[in-house]
């Protein structure tokens, strides 16, 4: 495996991700920010943050697979949420859990959560981008 995930002593343990990833692979995979589109470009889960998070993670999984990678190869995730407030965390976590169940994986790479004013279209509530490293 090209990625080793670590929670170093002296940093808090976060349930949904690790604090550090160490990459030893030779190929970098950069996945563009994925929004809640299906394969035909229709928005999935209009107005439903959890459903959109789920679709974003599924789309990241699809993009990774096209590059010969999986979530186990992800070194870093960035999650952008429109009008983020901490009370939205349960919906975010629910969407990640649903995607994990669909994909049969547990995304645990270091992650950054950013609140943003808007995304590409008003219907999109979240966007997820990934960087992976493979051998």
């Amino acid at each position: 495996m090209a990625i080793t995930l670590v929670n170093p002593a002296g940093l808090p343990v976060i349930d949904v991700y690790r604090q550090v990833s160490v990459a030893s692979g030779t190929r970098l995979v950069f996945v563009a920010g994925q929004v809640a589109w299906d394969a035909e470009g229709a928005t999935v889960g209009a107005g439903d943050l959890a459903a959109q998070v789920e679709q974003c993670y599924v789309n990241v999984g699809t993009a990774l697979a096209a590059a010969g990678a999986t979530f186990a190869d992800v070194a870093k995730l960035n999650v952008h949420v429109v009008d983020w407030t901490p009370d939205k965390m349960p919906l975010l976590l629910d969407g990640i859990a649903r995607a994990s169940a669909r994909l049969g994986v547990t995304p645990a790479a270091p992650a950054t959560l950013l609140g943003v004013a808007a995304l590409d279209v008003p219907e999109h509530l979240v966007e997820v981008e990934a960087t992976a490293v493979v051998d």
Side-chain angles (χ1 to χ4, degrees), residues 54-115:
E54 177 183 4
Q55 186 63 44
C56 290
Y57 273 78
V58 167
N59 290 350
V60 169
T62 299
L64 290 168
T70 70
F71 271 98
D73 301 306
V74 172
K76 180 74 168 71
L77 290 168
N78 289 320
V79 180
H80 303 84
V81 182
V82 174
D83 297 326
W84 175 258
T85 55
D87 62 306
K88 294 180 181 178
M89 185 62 78
L91 294 170
L92 179 77
L93 296 177
D94 181 45
I96 294 170
R98 289 163 39 180
S100 296
R102 278 179 65 183
L103 296 167
V105 300
T106 302
T112 298
L113 173 61
L114 301 165

Side-chain angles (χ1 to χ4, degrees), residues 2-54:
I3 299 292
T4 302
L5 300 176
V6 181
N7 273 323
L11 294 177
V13 174
I14 308 297
D15 290 337
V16 295
Y17 66 88
R18 302 303 171 268
Q19 295 284 3
V20 176
S21 65
V22 179
S24 61
T26 57
R27 281 191 315 125
L28 294 175
V29 178
F30 299 94
V31 176
Q34 296 298 304
V35 293
W37 278 329
D38 65 13
E40 288 74 42
T43 298
V44 173
D48 183 342
L49 180 60
Q52 289 200 17
V53 169
E54 177 183 4

